[in-house]
Amino acid sequence: MPFLLAPGHRRKRSAPATVTPGRPGGESGPSPHRAAFRPDIEGLRAVAVLAVLAFHAQIPGAAGGFVGVDVFFVISGYLITGLLVREAITTGRIRLGDFFSRRARRLLPSAAVVLAAVAVAGAWLTVPLRRADLEHDVLAAALSVANWRFVSRQTDYLAAGHDQSPLLHFWSLAVEEQFYLVWAPLLAVIVLPAARAVRRGRAVRAVVALVTAAVAVASFALSLHWTRDSVSLAYLGTPSRVWQFAVGALLALLPWHLLRGPRPLRLVCGWAGAAAILWCVVSYDASTPYPGHAALVPTLGTAAVILAAIPGRGERDVQGAYGVGRLLAARAPRAVGRLSYTLYLWHWPVLVLAEARLGALGWPARTAWTLAAVLPALATMRWVEQPLRRSRTVSELPRRGLAVGISAVVLPVVLALVVGTTTLRLLGPATPVDVRSLPPGAAAGPSLLARADGSALADGPVVPGPAQAREDFPPDGGCQVAPAVTSSPPCLFGAVGSPDRVVLLGDSHAGQWFSPLLALASRRGWALQELVKQGCPLPELTVKSPQLGRTYQECDTWRDDALDRLRTGPRPRLIVIASLNRYTADPGLLTAAWEKTLKRLRAAGAPIVYVEGTPVPGTDIPACVSGAPDETAACAFGRTEALPPDPLARRIAAGAVPGVRSVGVNAVLCPGDGPTCPAVRDRILLYRDDTHLTNVAAVVLAPRLERLLTESGALPVTAPGGPGEPAGPTR
């Protein structure tokens, strides 16, 4: 983590050999910037970790506490690059074995303790499906690729709705490990020619500073680009964070130690930097485009605090009585700073696992659990981190430190594999459900499935199983286009050569009706065209995309393109529309937005049917069912929150929307008028996440949907018979 190799109190070592001016390494000796302990940096680590903890505890006024990670990155870049460059100036080379041995024995054992604890606690505190996800997270964290795992999950719209991982915070450790896995060998290579120069110190600093500056510029440009296009990739991706390490590195490389700045200027520099960090903590929030330009403020603020206390020529102590460094070097900040690494490791798992057991917590309870994390953090520092860091036996040979690090990786990996394998066996197969083997759905009546004699279904497991449900998407070949895409491909299914076609239009809540509509189109020898975009409201609303982290301009472009294609292309036999009605809480705005879209849709001249919104559970249904496979009633969810009034359906029923019919299946998905809606009906698991139907549920609803469309007059009556064989998509 970024709090890593900030040196603590060390045993005295013999001083490096004096370098004679005029010989390699002369000039200014092994600066950037002296090996002296910086108590102010230890205190600055406390500021960083407290900001992160306050943010995670959701303490009011600390919504921008996530900038604490940026502070850590700058500190790490300054300390570790300074350490490597000092070694290069003093010895003419960088011993990579020593470097990685130090990192391994200081960082990995403490992380391994936390990962092992989470792997074991997860088996007790989490439901099986969540446990399987957690063990994958343990593997990724142990192998220092956690950030890329979370990038893949958080940029995937269709993977939304899962609970937060207790190991989400390991993304920053992964970023740092990946950076130094490249940075240290790169420095080792580029300092070799400079180490032969007459003035080694100046040459090494110059060449490393040039490379660092180039890397910083490229990384910052990439960060700006990714912040515009993918907020998860920008925030969690290593390349977009490198520039923050580079800023710290430049602090260690440039010849600040040869300058003697006026004390008032140092005073202002230090306090301005601290004020910038504090301002970010209280002013930034989830709506701040980040990292992007906004990350400059905490990054440069941290640099200012560090720079203010770099000793100049002939100076030993530049803190002054009123400098911010004096405050940071006080006993309390330093104590928290020493604990910052293990406290960072422990606090988030404690919070998340507590909520997994107790339910959602308010900020006072979250703060209490965060404070409780101090106890395991202290124990880990006292009995794991410090003994291994100070052990002469381990530090004597690099291979011993590396062996400790490898062991620290293997332990959580083995635990995760054991617990994960056991959990997967408990969950059963995750292979796709064969929909041809499903019992027929009821076309009418209160039951989901058709039962001629009215008897109850035999007992058995739910279908799909919880693990299957997570992946039970419509088989549409990826035609629900991703957030960054602005135009749907043709996406024709069924009788693709037929002049008659049904068009399915809307967001992912329209996409869940793909299988029923393909079945009814195939029965009539028609084609089905799918025009669906993830997270994009069909009513003309401009919204923000959580995946992109900004205004969803691609949605507006896609919607215009889809509506224009319907207006100018061949006339469809039927247009079926659906969309989540939760993109705005303003019913008036939503009504006006729908009217704009429907006005353009009517220009296509085809019948239009609106499928009412289905219940939105608001909780991870497959995970809940995995924990109560025999008591699925425990996973029922509140009707009021899941089924708010549908303003468009009401207006259609009142005759206020000419040319549009409305159908709905909520009477069977949430029957009766009780306070809750079921997660499972007739052994059919209805939801694949916290909002979408499983494809299995959609398939068994096909007869009911077809009847409703026929009765509405939108479809001609067809002779009874099985659905035709669907053809593959034409993209």
Side-chain angles (χ1 to χ4, degrees), residues 315-461:
E315 294 179 318
R316 302 186 66 180
D317 181 12
V318 297
Q319 299 291 352
Y322 303 104
V324 68
R326 182 71 69 183
L327 177 63
L328 294 174
R331 180 175 298 178
R334 287 180 56 194
V336 177
R338 284 191 295 272
L339 187 64
S340 59
Y341 178 52
T342 54
L343 183 55
Y344 181 87
L345 289 175
W346 276 107
H347 83 282
W348 185 243
V350 168
L351 273 176
V352 174
L353 292 174
E355 287 202 325
R357 194 69 173 178
L358 304 174
L361 302 173
W363 73 265
R366 292 176 70 91
T367 302
W369 280 104
T370 300
L371 293 175
V374 171
L375 296 177
L378 282 169
T380 305
M381 182 182 71
R382 172 65 178 82
W383 289 307
V384 178
E385 179 186 0
Q386 290 182 345
L388 286 171
R389 195 172 108 184
R390 296 170 178 171
S391 171
R392 291 187 178 182
T393 303
V394 175
S395 61
E396 187 176 21
L397 296 173
R399 64 174 179 268
R400 293 176 182 171
L402 293 173
V404 169
I406 293 172
S407 301
V409 171
V410 170
L411 172 63
V413 165
V414 170
L415 276 173
L417 290 174
V418 171
V419 176
T421 302
T422 304
T423 302
L424 291 176
R425 289 176 180 170
L426 177 66
L427 286 171
T431 53
V433 176
D434 182 2
V435 296
R436 293 172 297 182
S437 65
L438 293 173
S447 297
L448 181 65
L449 300 180
R451 298 198 294 276
D453 59 357
S455 61
L457 293 175
D459 292 337

Side-chain angles (χ1 to χ4, degrees), residues 267-593:
L267 192 71
V268 171
C269 179
W271 282 108
I277 297 170
L278 180 60
W279 180 81
C280 293
V281 170
V282 300
S283 300
Y284 287 2
D285 56 27
S287 66
T288 305
Y290 211 82
H293 292 99
L296 281 170
V297 182
T299 301
L300 297 181
T302 305
V305 173
I306 295 173
L307 180 61
I310 293 177
R313 177 180 292 166
E315 294 179 318
R316 302 186 66 180
D317 181 12
V318 297
Q319 299 291 352
Y322 303 104
V324 68
R326 182 71 69 183
L327 177 63
L328 294 174
R331 180 175 298 178
R334 287 180 56 194
V336 177
R338 284 191 295 272
L339 187 64
S340 59
Y341 178 52
T342 54
L343 183 55
Y344 181 87
L345 289 175
W346 276 107
H347 83 282
W348 185 243
V350 168
L351 273 176
V352 174
L353 292 174
E355 287 202 325
R357 194 69 173 178
L358 304 174
L361 302 173
W363 73 265
R366 292 176 70 91
T367 302
W369 280 104
T370 300
L371 293 175
V374 171
L375 296 177
L378 282 169
T380 305
M381 182 182 71
R382 172 65 178 82
W383 289 307
V384 178
E385 179 186 0
Q386 290 182 345
L388 286 171
R389 195 172 108 184
R390 296 170 178 171
S391 171
R392 291 187 178 182
T393 303
V394 175
S395 61
E396 187 176 21
L397 296 173
R399 64 174 179 268
R400 293 176 182 171
L402 293 173
V404 169
I406 293 172
S407 301
V409 171
V410 170
L411 172 63
V413 165
V414 170
L415 276 173
L417 290 174
V418 171
V419 176
T421 302
T422 304
T423 302
L424 291 176
R425 289 176 180 170
L426 177 66
L427 286 171
T431 53
V433 176
D434 182 2
V435 296
R436 293 172 297 182
S437 65
L438 293 173
S447 297
L448 181 65
L449 300 180
R451 298 198 294 276
D453 59 357
S455 61
L457 293 175
D459 292 337
V462 298
V463 179
Q468 293 173 311
R470 276 278 176 86
E471 306 300 325
D472 196 28
F473 299 106
D476 57 3
C479 283
Q480 297 188 39
V481 296
V485 179
T486 57
S487 179
S488 287
C491 283
L492 288 172
F493 300 82
V496 296
S498 172
D500 297 318
R501 62 193 170 101
V502 178
V503 174
L504 177 59
L505 176 67
D507 62 4
S508 58
H509 280 251
Q512 66 188 2
W513 298 114
F514 170 83
S515 291
L517 291 180
L518 179 57
L520 69 85
S522 297
R523 281 166 57 86
R524 291 163 174 78
W526 296 354
L528 171 66
Q529 182 177 22
E530 184 180 27
L531 300 176
V532 167
K533 183 169 176 61
Q534 301 169 7
C536 178
L538 186 56
E540 290 195 19
L541 294 168
T542 297
V543 296
K544 184 175 180 179
S545 166
Q547 284 67 41
L548 300 177
R550 56 171 171 77
T551 300
Y552 202 178
Q553 301 164 346
E554 291 82 355
C555 173
D556 298 333
T557 303
W558 174 87
R559 187 191 306 112
D560 288 340
D561 176 77
L563 295 175
D564 286 343
R565 287 164 64 176
L566 291 176
R567 179 178 58 83
T568 59
R571 177 183 172 182
R573 287 292 299 265
L574 174 65
I575 299 174
V576 177
I577 63 174
S579 182
L580 185 68
N581 280 316
R582 300 184 179 226
Y583 293 100
T584 176
D586 185 340
L589 179 62
L590 180 61
T591 298

